């Protein structure tokens, strides 16, 4: 994937060599080797996992993505073995992935890499971070350097979030 920003311990960075390849359908799979890091639709991810992964005995080499209309609960049993989950923003106006991210982080307690993909723009990054996203695939027609500035958009949080669970009035 191109135009990736990742949150690390020392701040946000542009990822120069992202190993992940986003796969949107089964027909795209023939182009890639089994040794590449793939982000598959959840249904394909389940279909192509070795039995040891499905039993929870080993980590998966691939990540999966969820569409905005997919529920988070069915993925609960796989959270211990998946290295990356991508949540899709088909349009910047569609905010369902914010809720999915929040549920994955708070209710299901998933600590892994959570990536925003699709129509991801600079103005959304700070809010995405508050919901628990740790990497962002910026739209390819936008500047990733410019988008990096979007992570510093909110200096004070009034409400609670994944990264600040206490609202402002409780922090005083």
């Amino acid at each position: 994937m191109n135009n990736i920003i990742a949150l690390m311990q020392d701040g946000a960075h542009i990822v120069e060599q992202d190993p992940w390849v986003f796969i949107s359908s089964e027909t795209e799979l023939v182009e890639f080797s089994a040794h590449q890091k793939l982000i598959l639709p959840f249904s394909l991810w389940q279909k192509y996992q070795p039995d040891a992964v499905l039993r929870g005995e080993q980590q998966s080499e691939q990540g999966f993505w969820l569409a905005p209309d997919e529920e988070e609960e069915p993925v609960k049993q796989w959270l211990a073995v998946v290295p990356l989950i991508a949540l899709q923003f088909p349009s910047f106006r569609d905010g369902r992935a914010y809720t999915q991210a929040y549920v994955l982080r708070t209710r299901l307690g998933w600590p892994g890499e959570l990536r925003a993909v699709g129509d991801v723009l600079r103005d959304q990054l700070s809010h995405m971070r508050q919901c628990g996203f740790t990497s962002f695939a910026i739209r390819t027609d936008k500047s990733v350097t410019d988008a990096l500035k979007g992570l510093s958009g909110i200096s004070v949080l009034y409400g609670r979030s994944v990264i600040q669970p206490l609202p402002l009035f409780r922090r005083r």
Side-chain angles (χ1 to χ4, degrees):
M1 293 185 91
N2 297 328
N3 280 4
I4 303 296
I5 295 174
L7 298 176
M8 306 201 184
Q9 300 237 341
D10 61 340
H13 298 282
I14 297 170
V15 177
E16 298 296 331
Q17 296 294 323
D18 182 46
W20 294 98
V21 178
F22 186 84
I23 303 293
S24 58
S25 67
E26 193 166 10
T27 57
E28 292 179 45
L29 278 175
V30 295
E31 301 173 27
F32 299 100
S33 76
H35 302 291
Q36 286 183 288
K37 290 183 171 261
L38 304 176
I39 304 172
L40 302 166
F42 181 60
S43 58
L44 285 182
W45 183 87
Q46 288 178 297
K47 183 177 177 181
Y48 288 105
Q49 292 308 302
D51 288 338
V53 169
L54 297 177
R55 288 192 304 267
E57 297 169 359
Q58 77 180 44
Q59 284 290 112
S60 175
E61 296 292 319
Q62 282 87 28
F64 60 77
W65 62 269
L66 295 175
D69 58 349
E70 291 183 277
E71 294 292 324
E72 307 83 27
E73 288 297 324
V75 307
K76 186 176 182 176
Q77 63 184 333
W78 312 116
L79 295 180
V81 297
V82 67
L84 178 143
I85 297 175
L87 300 177
Q88 190 177 42
F89 287 85
S91 166
F92 72 91
R93 294 179 296 265
D94 189 338
R96 293 176 287 177
Y98 290 106
T99 303
Q100 289 173 314
Y102 191 80
V103 168
L104 284 167
R105 293 294 193 207
T106 58
R107 191 178 309 152
L108 302 179
W110 189 64
E113 183 177 350
L114 190 56
R115 181 171 290 187
V117 298
D119 197 11
V120 178
L121 303 170
R122 172 188 172 161
D123 296 347
Q124 301 166 294
L125 298 187
S126 187
H127 296 291
M128 288 176 177
R129 181 174 178 236
Q130 300 306 317
C131 291
F133 285 97
T134 55
S135 65
F136 315 90
I138 307 302
R139 257 181 32 191
T140 55
D141 64 329
K142 301 296 180 185
S143 166
V144 69
T145 306
D146 183 54
L148 192 58
K149 298 172 191 170
L151 284 167
S152 60
I154 298 176
S155 60
V156 176
L157 295 174
Y158 296 105
R160 63 184 208 176
S161 71
V162 170
I163 62 173
Q164 180 53 264
L166 293 176
L168 183 63
F169 74 91
R170 294 271 189 228
R171 289 181 260 154
R172 293 184 180 187

